[in-house]
Amino acid sequence: MFKLYWSPGTASLAPMAVLEEVGAEYEAILLDYGAEEQKTADYLALNPCGLVPAMTLPDGRTMFETAAIVMHLCDLYPAAHLAPPPGDPDRPLFYQWMLYLADTIQPTYRRYYYPERFAADAEDVKKRGTDTLLAEFAIVEDGLRGEWMLGKRFSACDIYLHMLTTWFEPPEALYARYPNIARVAAGVEARPAARRAIDLHRG
Ligand SMILES: N[C@@H](CCC(=O)N[C@@H](CS)C(=O)NCC(=O)O)C(=O)O
């Protein structure tokens, strides 16, 4: 069985939504984020970055990095069709958006949520981080052509994008500005499996 280490409102949402979508059996292990349980020695042994999430695989090994967890689950459950298989013409687009979301937009949120870690003038860091987020989301907005990030086909990219939009405060401001992104996020919210994870994260 998988064990997902999670906290509400964190990057554990996407892996949890994927676990729900593929119908995997898993145990959700709640970390007390406010008490910084993700920085304890026990958790650091699982994820030396001290970040949420981490996931223990059925063979007992533990992995970290949200996008890696998501993509690994997509590979393990091809019948769930959350990623185009290797060789599929949509596979490059899947990689493109997964990496753009995880490597470009997600790190920018660190300036938004932890500005004091970047410079003494935290307010300025957060303001510039917000501007950057809006510019980065605009790339997604302009790149969306169909119902989902890959066009007609739903994928884990949509789950990832939805998660990132929920971190913007308030998400409605982002949705009002970017209707294509809003449509994808609403589509994810309407999926019963993903919704179970979303509801658990909202508490
Ligand atoms: N690159 C990591 C980032 C994970 C991450 O930043 N997690 C946040 C919660 S959303 C966290 O644990 N923050 C605690 C901290 O930065 O001290 C991943 O994708 O797993």
Side-chain angles (χ1 to χ4, degrees):
M1 199 197 300
F2 298 98
K3 285 184 193 168
L4 179 67
Y5 294 82
W6 77 288
S7 301
T10 68
S12 50
L13 174 56
M16 189 181 283
V18 170
L19 284 162
E20 291 287 342
E21 286 280 342
V22 301
E25 254 193 88
Y26 71 99
E27 186 184 347
I29 300 173
L30 182 61
L31 297 167
D32 188 341
Y33 194 75
E36 299 218 311
E37 203 177 346
Q38 71 276 16
K39 309 291 184 199
T40 59
D42 282 354
Y43 185 73
L44 289 173
L46 299 170
N47 182 349
C49 309
L51 300 172
V52 186
M55 188 175 78
T56 303
L57 303 168
D59 70 3
R61 288 190 289 178
T62 299
M63 66 184 295
F64 54 89
E65 281 302 321
T66 309
I69 295 171
V70 164
M71 291 194 286
H72 182 56
L73 289 170
C74 291
D75 289 347
L76 287 181
Y77 293 89
H81 302 294
L82 291 183
D88 187 290
D90 285 337
R91 183 80 169 183
L93 194 59
F94 173 78
Y95 279 141
Q96 173 196 295
W97 283 134
M98 278 303 297
L99 272 290
Y100 183 76
L101 297 173
D103 277 5
T104 299
I105 298 185
Q106 190 177 344
T108 304
Y109 268 114
R110 299 189 70 76
R111 284 193 267 153
Y112 188 82
Y113 277 106
Y114 313 110
E116 71 289 348
R117 294 184 187 173
F118 290 84
D121 188 347
E123 206 177 308
D124 186 53
V125 172
K126 181 162 182 176
K127 195 207 160 297
R128 287 167 193 255
T130 306
D131 293 345
T132 304
L133 272 178
L134 290 172
E136 290 171 350
F137 274 118
I139 300 290
V140 177
E141 175 69 14
D142 294 345
L144 295 187
R145 292 285 172 271
E147 186 184 359
W148 303 108
M149 290 197 82
L150 302 187
K152 290 199 178 105
R153 123 198 244 175
F154 176 73
S155 75
C157 295
D158 303 302
I159 290 174
Y160 218 102
L161 175 62
H162 166 272
M163 175 182 77
L164 295 179
T165 66
T166 64
W167 297 347
F168 200 86
E169 291 177 334
E172 291 72 25
L174 196 64
Y175 298 150
R177 197 173 176 125
Y178 299 131
N180 291 329
I181 290 177
R183 186 184 62 246
V184 170
V188 174
E189 298 250 347
R191 292 178 69 90
R195 185 70 200 215
R196 286 194 289 277
I198 294 166
D199 286 345
L200 188 62
H201 273 253
R202 287 196 178 132

